[in-house]
Amino acid sequence: MKMQWILISALVFALITAVFAVVNVEPVQVNFVFVTTSTPLILVILTSTLLGGLIVGLFGMVRQYKLQRKVKQLEKQLHETLHPSTVSSTVSNLEQNEPSV
């Protein structure tokens, strides 16, 4: 249900942004620190919205990746805590199978 509300909110925001952009089509001066250019306001609005969405999406993906790594780490730690005999027997089996130098 939460995902549906997020999707509906995103679609409403996209519709409002599109209507706002279409209404504002006159050219404006855009200063890019070293260069000044005249660009239709619709392109400035749509480009800004797109870049903002991409940046938010990137931060969300990085956060999700970090959370997944943390969950895997905690699951491994929980497994080692609940089953210490399995972990120690696996380590001892590995030590026995290693050739002596």
Side-chain angles (χ1 to χ4, degrees), residues 20-98:
F20 182 72
V22 169
V23 171
N24 294 292
V25 293
E26 58 273 350
V28 294
Q29 290 290 327
V30 180
N31 187 356
F32 293 107
V33 181
F34 299 111
V35 178
T36 301
T37 182
S38 179
T39 307
L41 186 55
I42 188 171
L43 291 179
V44 174
I45 293 169
L46 293 177
T47 303
S48 299
T49 304
L50 179 65
L51 288 176
L54 290 174
I55 290 170
V56 168
L58 179 66
F59 280 120
M61 287 173 32
V62 168
R63 181 174 177 259
Q64 186 72 21
Y65 176 73
K66 286 181 179 179
L67 288 174
Q68 284 177 349
R69 279 188 26 208
K70 185 69 173 177
V71 166
K72 286 182 182 179
Q73 175 191 5
L74 291 173
E75 285 176 344
K76 181 180 176 184
Q77 186 179 9
L78 178 64
H79 179 73
E80 290 173 355
T81 304
L82 293 177
H83 306 290
S85 61
T86 307
V87 175
S88 62
S89 65
T90 305
V91 171
S92 64
N93 286 342
L94 288 174
E95 290 173 351
Q96 290 173 359
N97 292 335
E98 288 183 9

